[in-house]
């Protein structure tokens, strides 16, 4: 009954909110490819921690009505569906007893806009844009010293582009990544020219990776600085993440230079430090300097947002409508399962129950042994 009520509520919200939704611009679709390439490398950066055994994620947005993401072009307004279908997989295994872990990875995202909703085969209409971005490579890590290196290629495949969009063709990029303790350096190249350089410092101490579970070191900041060599002037992106309380309440701020300045801010609450569930309040600054407030809820298999900053930035500027994403994302290590950037692994109730049952059975066995020893004991009597 509860599931039916939630399904009806989500459907009702999707039915009502298209009235207030903004249209997607041709420009936002033109630049979505480069945003996706950077997003895949940033997600890999979070997933690739020396000692991680694997990461798997899959997701797609559910937009039931063609009026939720209408396209505005020089020919007018067009009903249709913006889409993002993504999948990520990373697996690593030890190399014998050497202490090294060897891994492989594949990130893929299919995105764009089409005049009909689809899962596999788009319509490829006269205003459609369909592209896919692949990031693949190999990793080598030495968990004992928290050292890691990775490298590979990024391939952007253009399936369909209408005449209203900028000229675009298939392209191949090379990328490299190095991790040493809390420091990460990442870069990519295209046709002999560098495209981006990123330096990240995760100073926050996390129990998941052998750090502290509480104390002042858990309140150190995490920051990321990325320099991008685009078609125009170079640009700089700076983001900061700060633990505010018990590694469950975080603030995130993003700043872009030379354009925009302040870009977005988020306040995220995680009921558990494993980061599998979150409640978000966000603020996003538009190009006209207007501030858009929103929020969202992330569950293990579902994410719902309204004017969420990540949707505005990563889903072609969409706002004014409820966004529903069917998703699943989970990392694993020897300590258990967790979400990206987590400080601790998720509490495993099954392990706790098993341990309790084992302790109870051991206790009963010990008591039984004591009784048996008492029954078989030798009683001595004084001679008269």
């Amino acid at each position: 009954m509860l599931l039916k009520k939630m399904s009806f509520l989500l459907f009702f919200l999707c039915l009502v909110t298209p009235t207030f939704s903004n249209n997607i611009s041709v420009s936002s679709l033109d630049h979505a490819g480069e945003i996706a390439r950077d997003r895949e490398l940033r997600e890999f950066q979070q997933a690739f921690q020396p000692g991680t055994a694997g990461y798997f994620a899959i997701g797609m947005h559910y937009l039931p009505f063609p009026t939720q993401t209408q396209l505005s072009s020089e020919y007018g307004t067009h009903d249709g569906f913006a889409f993002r279908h993504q999948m990520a997989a990373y697996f690593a295994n030890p190399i014998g007893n050497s202490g090294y872990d060897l891994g492989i990875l594949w990130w893929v995202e299919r995105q764009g806009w089409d005049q009909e909703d689809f899962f596999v085969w788009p319509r490829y209409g006269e205003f459609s844009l369909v592209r896919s971005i692949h990031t693949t490579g190999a990793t080598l890590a030495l968990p004992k010293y928290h050292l890691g290196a990775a490298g590979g290629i990024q391939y952007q495949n253009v399936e369909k582009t209408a005449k209203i969009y900028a000229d675009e063709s298939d392209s191949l990029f090379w990328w490299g990544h190095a991790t040493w303790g809390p420091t990460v350096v990442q870069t990519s190249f295209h046709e002999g020219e560098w495209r981006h350089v990123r330096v990240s410092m995760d100073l926050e101490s996390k129990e998941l990776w052998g750090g502290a579970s509480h104390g002042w070191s858990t309140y150190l900041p995490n920051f990321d600085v990325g320099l991008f060599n685009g078609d125009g002037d170079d640009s700089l992106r700076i983001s900061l993440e700060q633990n505010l309380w018990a590694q469950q309440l975080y603030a995130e701020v993003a700043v872009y230079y030379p354009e925009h300045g302040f870009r977005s801010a988020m306040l995220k609450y995680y009921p558990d430090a494993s980061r599998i569930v979150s409640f978000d309040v966000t603020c996003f600054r538009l190009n006209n300097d207007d501030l858009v407030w929103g929020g969202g809820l992330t569950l293990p298999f579902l994410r719902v947002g309204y004017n969420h900053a990540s949707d505005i930035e990563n889903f072609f500027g969409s706002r004014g409508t409820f966004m529903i994403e069917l998703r699943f994302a989970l990392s694993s290590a020897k300590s258990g399962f967790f979400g990206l950037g987590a400080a601790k692994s998720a509490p495993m109730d099954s392990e706790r129950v098993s341990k309790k049952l084992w302790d109870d059975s051991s206790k009963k066995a010990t008591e039984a042994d004591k009784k048996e020893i008492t029954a078989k004991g030798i009683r001595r009597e004084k001679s008269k």
Side-chain angles (χ1 to χ4, degrees):
M1 182 61 70
L2 179 60
L3 183 60
K4 289 183 178 180
K5 290 182 178 179
M6 290 182 62
S7 301
F8 175 77
L9 177 61
L10 292 175
F11 183 82
F12 176 76
L13 292 174
C14 290
L15 180 65
V16 173
T17 55
T19 307
F20 310 101
S21 62
N22 73 303
N23 295 340
I24 289 178
S25 68
V26 170
S27 176
S28 64
L29 287 166
D30 283 336
H31 292 92
E34 59 191 66
I35 294 174
R37 292 197 307 270
D38 179 60
R39 181 172 56 248
E40 289 185 354
L41 288 176
R42 279 191 287 123
E43 186 176 345
F44 166 74
Q45 171 195 331
Q46 293 179 293
F48 177 55
Q49 296 289 338
T52 300
Y55 172 71
F56 180 76
I58 188 169
M60 63 173 291
H61 285 74
Y62 172 65
L63 302 169
F65 303 106
T67 52
Q68 284 183 268
T69 51
Q70 292 176 310
L71 174 66
S72 290
S73 75
E74 57 185 306
Y75 299 100
T77 300
H78 319 284
D79 288 348
F81 300 86
F83 63 92
R84 271 188 61 209
H85 304 161
Q86 62 269 5
M87 189 274 291
Y90 164 63
F91 301 101
N93 274 317
I95 306 176
N97 297 321
S98 65
Y100 287 90
D101 291 347
L102 182 65
I104 57 173
L105 63 110
W106 180 35
W107 262 248
V108 59
E109 176 174 317
R110 200 181 191 194
Q111 59 163 242
W113 190 92
D114 197 63
Q115 288 164 284
E116 290 186 4
D117 194 12
F118 72 96
F119 181 69
V120 178
W121 308 112
R123 178 185 173 185
Y124 296 127
E126 58 179 334
F127 298 108
S128 296
L129 173 64
V130 182
R131 69 163 71 90
S132 58
I133 299 96
H134 302 258
T135 300
T136 185
T139 67
L140 184 66
L142 186 59
K144 182 178 179 180
Y145 299 102
H146 204 80
L147 290 171
I153 61 172
Q154 279 191 315
Y155 177 63
Q156 182 168 310
N157 175 41
V158 181
E159 300 179 34
K160 164 70 177 180
T161 177
K163 61 181 180 180
I164 61 174
Y165 303 103
D167 291 336
E168 186 176 341
S169 59
D170 294 357
S171 52
L172 182 68
F173 299 78
W174 297 87
W175 63 273
H177 179 105
T179 298
W180 180 28
T183 306
V184 172
V185 178
Q186 190 182 83
T187 187
S188 63
F189 297 88
H190 175 61
E191 295 182 348
E193 292 187 1
W194 69 275
R195 303 303 291 180
H196 96 287
V197 175
R198 170 177 289 108
V199 178
S200 300
M201 292 284 289
D202 287 345
L203 302 178
E204 176 191 357
S205 184
K206 298 180 179 180
E207 182 183 6
L208 181 62
W209 307 114
S213 60
H214 60 277
W216 65 269
S217 60
T218 63
Y219 288 90
L220 294 176
N222 306 317
F223 62 88
D224 178 287
V225 179
L227 180 62
F228 300 89
N229 178 18
D231 296 330
D233 296 332
D234 295 348
S235 59
L236 187 68
R237 181 184 188 274
I238 303 173
S239 61
L240 173 71
E241 180 188 58
Q242 177 64 55
N243 170 32
L244 300 178
W245 175 74
Q247 295 183 312
Q248 292 179 247
L249 183 65
Y250 284 83
E252 297 181 17
V253 179
V255 180
Y256 291 1
Y257 291 106
E259 298 180 357
H260 307 307
F262 166 76
R263 190 56 165 174
S264 65
M266 304 185 197
L267 187 65
K268 295 187 174 184
Y269 171 68
Y270 303 96
D272 185 80
S274 60
R275 294 196 181 189
I276 295 177
V277 176
S278 73
F279 301 86
D280 309 340
V281 177
T282 73
C283 176
F284 189 87
R285 183 185 180 188
L286 301 176
N287 293 338
N288 61 4
D289 292 335
D290 288 345
L291 297 179
V292 179
W293 292 87
L297 165 66
T298 300
L299 299 173
F301 296 96
L302 177 71
R303 189 182 72 84
V304 181
Y306 183 80
N307 284 345
H308 198 289
S310 64
D311 287 326
I312 299 175
E313 182 171 11
N314 298 309
F315 200 74
F316 322 115
S318 297
R319 62 186 186 276
T321 185
F322 274 88
M323 306 295 293
I324 300 174
E325 183 181 4
L326 307 176
R327 63 177 297 280
F328 175 80
L330 204 63
S331 294
S332 66
K334 290 182 179 179
S335 56
F337 298 96
F338 49 92
L340 291 178
K344 300 178 182 179
S345 59
M348 304 299 289
D349 291 337
S350 58
E351 291 183 3
R352 293 179 179 179
V353 171
S354 299
K355 186 176 184 300
K356 186 176 184 302
L357 292 174
W358 173 261
D359 292 342
D360 290 345
S361 61
S362 299
K363 184 178 179 181
K364 291 179 180 178
T366 303
E367 291 176 353
D369 290 342
K370 287 181 179 179
K371 291 180 180 179
E372 185 177 353
I373 292 172
T374 303
K376 294 181 179 180
I378 300 174
R379 186 178 64 183
R380 296 183 179 180
E381 296 182 356
K382 293 182 179 181
S383 58
K384 295 181 180 179

